[in-house]
Amino acid sequence: MINMFSDELEKISWEETTRRIYAKTEADVLRAVGKEHCDVEDFMALISPAAAPYLETMARLSKKYTEERFGKTISMFIPLYITNSCTNSCVYCGFHISNPMDRTILTPEQIEDECVAIKKLAPFENLLLVTGENPAKAGVPYLAKALDVCKKHFSNMKIEVMPLKEEEYKELTEHGLNGVICFQETYHKERYKVYHPRGMKSKFEWRLNGFDRMGQAGVHSIGMGVLIGLEEWRTDVTMMAYHLRYLQKHYWKTKYSVNFPRMRPAENGGFQPNVVISDRELAQLTFAMRIFDHDVDISYSTREPAFIRDNMAGLGVTTMSAESKTEPGGYYTYPQALEQFHVSDERTAVEVEKALKALGREPVWKDWDTSFDELKLAK
């Protein structure tokens, strides 16, 4: 049987990892910032409380590595929610199966209308298709049709949907799929069951090993993330760092991105975050991730407020969404529908672009890698 990351995670103790993070010293932090290539132990030092006095040093280093690898560009993308139909019971999510709300599955015609409406906002070429998790009503055939519609309008398409089988990822690449984003939410196996009591998402290993299946299917770009607010954030992002290194070793042709959104209120209202991460700690985490991995794409969504996104644009973040609607049909068909979560940065895409340019950044609407790939194929 092929080994998966779940086998590796079994060897890593959550409690021991937490202890080691909080035992890191000033000497450990200085050693980490002095190294050209960091390992996970160094990452633990950089996110530890001991690193807090070195935020300015970490910011300069993060800025340096970011500009060396990415220049001053910020890649812009926009999410398109095509269905909020979901069979899961995630306690923190607005799409929770028990949440009384109208369930929508956009038709191909409605998806086309959404694409046209998005293109009027700004020259987006990077599209993220998002769904709830309802394989029976919005499974792979539905996703394939959606990709077929959207590829007429966008050059680079990713999905954030339920974890699929390897052959299903391969099938969708034939319809224009370029990347997959999946949040493990938390790597704490026991607590994971508390947040995901029912539905396919309750299967911890199936979700965790989905990244292996993406890699085995040859997916061009894999995005990973933890939801800050569920468990001890320092331990969770350390587990993600272990996971990232594992994937890079096994599927080295693939590009990787990371995201660590902070939990915001969902429409089901009752769930409050168990963990709060401050703005300074979020900055520390971002700098630590960039120092740990110079090449990984770091993404901030509109969950974060405008001032934080602007401040971090030159210091480590390389990808941003703009003018996001987090409900199906939010750009054209159903503009007043119930959202999955509230956005915090409510600026238009044009306003975000102007702000980034004023900060000396260069918003990039197109995925140039895709263009180069097509050029190679034409030769």
Side-chain angles (χ1 to χ4, degrees):
M1 187 172 175
I2 301 173
N3 270 14
M4 298 277 201
F5 184 67
S6 60
D7 301 307
E8 298 300 315
L9 191 62
E10 287 290 331
K11 305 171 189 173
I12 307 170
S13 163
W14 180 279
E15 291 74 20
E16 174 61 16
T17 300
T18 305
R19 188 197 67 75
R20 277 161 49 206
I21 293 168
Y22 281 88
K24 294 298 181 188
T25 65
E26 180 183 32
D28 295 321
V29 176
L30 292 173
R31 188 180 308 113
V33 296
K35 289 174 71 173
E36 179 70 20
H37 300 290
C38 291
D39 57 24
V40 177
E41 284 291 332
D42 298 316
F43 178 73
M44 290 161 66
L46 292 170
I47 61 168
S48 73
Y54 295 92
L55 206 60
E56 293 300 321
T57 301
M58 290 172 63
R60 286 194 296 271
L61 205 50
S62 179
K63 184 175 188 287
K64 170 178 174 283
Y65 289 139
T66 302
E67 293 191 355
E68 283 177 358
R69 296 304 199 280
F70 298 89
K72 296 190 175 185
T73 61
I74 300 289
S75 179
M76 308 299 296
F77 77 95
I78 193 164
L80 172 55
Y81 284 68
I82 55 176
T83 176
N84 57 7
S85 182
C86 193
T87 59
N88 291 323
S89 302
C90 309
V91 298
Y92 50 80
C93 182
F95 289 177
H96 187 298
I97 191 171
S98 301
N99 196 19
M101 63 188 294
D102 292 332
R103 301 291 170 163
T104 301
I105 300 177
L106 296 185
T107 65
E109 293 76 20
Q110 289 172 326
I111 294 172
E112 181 92 42
D113 288 339
E114 296 297 310
C115 291
V116 172
I118 287 171
K119 297 297 274 193
K120 290 178 180 176
L121 302 177
F124 286 104
E125 288 292 339
N126 301 315
L127 183 73
L128 175 64
L129 286 175
V130 189
T131 71
E133 298 193 11
N134 189 342
K137 292 185 178 179
V140 173
Y142 176 74
L143 293 171
K145 287 180 184 175
L147 288 165
D148 287 341
V149 171
C150 295
K151 69 185 177 187
K152 295 180 289 184
H153 302 274
F154 300 93
S155 62
N156 180 42
M157 296 182 298
K158 298 181 181 180
I159 56 171
E160 187 176 336
V161 303
M162 62 272 177
L164 305 174
K165 299 174 183 175
E166 178 187 346
E167 58 268 26
E168 291 173 329
Y169 285 124
K170 285 181 179 176
E171 179 184 341
L172 292 179
T173 61
E174 295 170 5
H175 290 267
L177 178 68
N178 188 57
V180 181
I181 293 175
C182 183
F183 284 14
Q184 185 57 32
E185 314 295 16
T186 179
Y187 285 85
H188 195 305
K189 186 175 180 180
E190 293 308 312
R191 292 289 296 166
Y192 181 93
K193 298 171 186 174
V194 174
Y195 304 119
H196 312 98
R198 293 181 301 280
M200 276 299 290
K201 199 167 177 179
S202 66
K203 301 179 187 303
F204 180 82
E205 280 85 3
W206 174 252
R207 191 170 190 86
L208 185 66
N209 293 332
F211 299 89
D212 278 281
R213 298 191 298 275
M214 296 170 207
Q216 290 157 8
V219 170
H220 176 65
S221 172
I222 293 176
M224 40 198 323
V226 293
L227 185 54
I228 304 291
L230 298 181
E231 291 300 311
E232 164 58 59
W233 68 265
R234 290 183 170 94
T235 313
D236 244 338
V237 296
T238 297
M239 298 303 179
M240 185 170 69
Y242 277 119
H243 197 179
L244 176 63
R245 282 290 185 260
Y246 164 91
L247 293 171
Q248 289 170 329
K249 178 182 176 183
H250 288 81
Y251 315 107
W252 51 270
K253 290 184 178 180
T254 299
K255 287 172 58 178
Y256 295 94
S257 65
V258 293
N259 197 325
F260 10 81
R262 295 187 286 185
M263 185 172 290
R264 294 181 52 76
E267 291 294 343
N268 60 339
F271 186 82
Q272 292 300 318
N274 294 317
V275 178
V276 175
I277 179 174
S278 69
D279 294 348
R280 279 184 66 85
E281 288 169 337
L282 179 65
Q284 180 183 347
L285 168 55
T286 305
F287 304 152
M289 182 57 71
R290 173 60 66 226
I291 296 166
F292 171 66
D293 195 297
H294 306 173
D295 299 303
V296 74
D297 204 5
I298 300 178
S299 179
Y300 270 27
S301 76
T302 51
R303 282 177 182 258
E304 293 301 335
F307 76 94
I308 289 177
R309 299 203 325 148
D310 288 351
N311 285 335
M312 297 304 295
L315 298 174
V317 172
T318 49
T319 297
M320 285 187 184
S321 55
E323 206 160 344
S324 304
K325 304 296 183 186
T326 66
E327 69 279 359
Y331 301 103
Y332 180 84
T333 315
Y334 304 112
Q336 304 303 322
L338 204 61
E339 296 181 302
Q340 185 187 28
F341 61 86
H342 297 300
V343 300
S344 203
D345 185 349
E346 296 183 342
R347 294 175 296 178
T348 67
V350 172
E351 288 169 339
V352 173
E353 179 186 35
K354 286 180 179 176
L356 290 172
K357 284 185 173 178
L359 292 164
R361 300 296 107 184
E362 186 54 45
V364 175
W365 302 96
K366 187 173 180 60
D367 187 304
W368 297 106
D369 289 349
T370 304
S371 303
F372 290 140
D373 289 343
E374 289 169 356
L375 195 62
K376 289 173 188 172
L377 290 171
K379 288 183 177 178

